[in-house]
Amino acid sequence: MSEIILTSSVLILVIALLRRVLRGRISSRVQYALWLLAALRLLIPGTLFPVPVSVVGAAAELRGALVPAAVSPVEPDAPNPDSLPAGPVLSLEPPPAGETAPPALPPARAGRQDGGWLPLLWGAGAAALGCVLAGSNLAFWLRLRRTRRPLDLPHTRRTGRLRVYVAGDLPSPCLFGLLRPAIYLNEAALEGRRLDHILTHEYVHYRHGDHIWSLLRGICLALHWYNPLVWWAASLSRRDCELACDEAAIRRLGEAERIDYGQTLLSMVSGRRGPGDLFRTATTMTAGRRTMAERIALIAHRPRRLRTVLAAALAVMCCAVALTFGGRAAAEPAEPAGPGQSQDESLAPPARPGAGGPDGDPLRYRVHPPQRPFCPDPAGELAGKGGMGGERGRRVLLRCRPL
């Protein structure tokens, strides 16, 4: 999860920076489409392809440089046989016939990466916001269903095959519905030229699939509720959704309707916004003062857009995608075991030259339990050789016996 938090946050900041720098210099539809990359990064776990440089790799190297190793790997000196602990001993002899091999020692229990309460906290928050997402849309649908009435309109290019309803107590016109989307109007939208502008606006929302992207935005918020940058990105993407819709609607209406379309927005956009608007899949015309000023500025003054600026923005985004969707190359797989060789033997280090048993075979080690009895030295080979006889010699013999 930490990888998704880091990479998605970096990608959101890059898109927000491009949005700030290139405001009005690139198409609003391209600007809106960039947020799809952030949504994919939030919904797809892990990395998708290996790259030489990535955000995940840089974070791992930085963490390794800042956190020193707890224990430095130092080559230990040969221990004194008299000071060996009374624990499991290392022997070169297989267990006698009839005796089962000792069980493998359990691996050291690694520290848990995440606390046990963190997944529970995340799950509770995701479930709560998922209920808000479902509940707010269900309540809105029930209210529309209770107060709506169909509006008979000729089949024109403004609405396509979308059904149009008039609903009471609706703050602004909207497109709502996933399986059967429809346009819902209020009484004020039926006056004069407003109807043509609003129908075109909502039909463009339908052509862009904004009712589906609104659901995707709510899912991202429910899953990543703990990240404030995701909430910021959801608000900015909703604003860019309206900018892209305004641009496409004016193109369908014609340049002669640009000023009239802007006046329709000023009269129809509602300033009432609530915290549940980001979870609602309806494309309601609600905007703050800053958002409305940005929309009117782009409508009134058609900005000049250069292809070089668009190419530079796409190049920056390609680099950002490579850095955030990519990861370090995976390590090379271990050499497979040969015929008649177990996987553990294939991973064992090669024997040193000259080291082996009586037949020249490399010495292999086996761990025996501590309760294994000491074996005598019947041949007395260690007696009198450098003070290695007696009890001391028997301990050494116990630890190094050829197969």
Side-chain angles (χ1 to χ4, degrees):
M1 182 174 289
S2 59
E3 291 183 0
I4 296 181
I5 296 174
L6 178 61
T7 54
S8 62
S9 298
V10 171
L11 189 58
I12 288 172
L13 291 176
V14 171
I15 296 176
L17 181 62
L18 283 178
R19 184 185 184 277
R20 178 74 176 181
V21 174
L22 304 178
R23 178 184 302 173
R25 294 179 176 88
I26 61 175
S27 172
S28 298
R29 290 177 293 176
V30 174
Q31 181 174 299
Y32 178 45
L34 295 180
W35 292 111
L36 177 61
L37 299 175
L40 293 177
R41 179 67 283 183
L42 290 170
L43 297 177
I44 300 177
T47 56
L48 301 183
F49 45 82
V51 290
V53 180
S54 65
V55 174
V56 175
E61 293 178 1
L62 181 62
R63 182 166 54 249
L66 295 179
V67 180
V71 179
S72 300
V74 180
E75 183 69 22
D77 297 333
N80 186 358
D82 292 332
S83 61
L84 291 176
V89 295
L90 196 63
S91 173
L92 299 175
E93 184 182 33
E99 182 179 343
T100 58
L105 295 177
R109 189 174 183 180
R112 301 185 64 178
Q113 297 291 335
D114 297 325
W117 55 273
L118 288 180
L120 297 178
L121 180 61
W122 170 81
L129 291 184
C131 292
V132 172
L133 174 64
S136 61
N137 285 280
L138 180 60
F140 188 68
W141 179 76
L142 291 176
R143 188 178 70 178
L144 291 177
R145 187 178 179 84
R146 186 173 57 252
T147 61
R148 72 183 183 182
R149 68 177 190 273
L151 181 64
D152 294 331
L153 291 174
H155 179 70
T156 62
R157 67 181 183 90
R158 302 300 186 195
T159 60
R161 296 184 178 276
L162 287 177
R163 292 168 297 175
V164 182
Y165 296 97
V166 178
D169 193 22
L170 192 63
S172 69
C174 66
L175 173 73
F176 183 74
L178 294 177
L179 301 179
R180 296 181 177 179
I183 297 176
Y184 294 88
L185 306 174
N186 53 10
E187 296 293 341
L190 303 178
E191 300 177 2
R193 291 282 298 165
R194 292 179 180 178
L195 181 61
D196 194 19
H197 296 159
I198 293 172
L199 291 177
T200 302
H201 180 90
E202 300 302 335
Y203 182 67
V204 168
H205 273 308
Y206 171 73
R207 291 290 300 271
H208 289 178
D210 292 332
H211 55 298
I212 300 176
W213 298 126
S214 298
L215 176 62
L216 188 65
R217 185 188 305 125
I219 293 175
C220 291
L221 285 176
L223 294 178
H224 300 273
W225 56 268
Y226 50 84
N227 192 345
L229 290 179
V230 177
W231 291 85
W232 185 41
S235 178
L236 292 180
S237 66
R238 192 169 186 268
R239 190 183 305 177
D240 290 342
C241 171
E242 295 298 333
L243 293 177
C245 185
D246 292 339
E247 180 181 301
I250 292 175
R251 178 173 296 184
R252 292 179 66 88
L253 291 170
E255 288 295 326
E257 298 289 332
R258 178 179 291 270
I259 301 301
D260 293 338
Y261 176 81
Q263 293 177 351
T264 299
L265 287 184
L266 287 176
S267 60
M268 295 304 301
V269 171
S270 174
R272 294 188 299 172
R273 293 186 302 171
D277 289 344
L278 289 177
F279 290 97
R280 191 170 296 167
T281 58
T283 59
T284 53
M285 293 184 176
T286 57
R289 183 176 301 177
R290 180 180 301 180
T291 304
M292 201 62 216
E294 182 180 7
R295 294 177 65 178
I296 294 301
L298 291 178
I299 291 173
H301 307 285
R302 183 178 182 180
R304 183 183 179 185
R305 289 155 182 168
L306 300 177
R307 294 183 178 180
T308 55
V309 177
L310 176 61
L314 294 180
V316 172
M317 285 307 305
C318 288
C319 295
V321 168
L323 292 174
T324 53
F325 282 83
R328 293 184 296 182
E332 296 182 359
E335 184 178 355
Q341 186 182 17
S342 65
Q343 186 68 21
D344 293 339
E345 293 175 357
S346 65
L347 298 177
R352 293 178 298 174
D359 299 330
D361 297 333
L363 298 179
R364 300 193 180 106
Y365 294 87
R366 186 183 300 277
V367 176
H368 288 279
Q371 65 270 17
R372 185 174 179 81
F374 288 116
C375 296
D377 181 12
E381 296 175 355
L382 299 177
K385 294 183 180 181
M388 294 296 291
E391 181 65 23
R392 185 177 182 182
R394 285 194 294 272
R395 291 185 180 179
V396 176
L397 181 63
L398 178 65
R399 286 162 174 77
C400 298
R401 289 182 291 185
L403 288 171

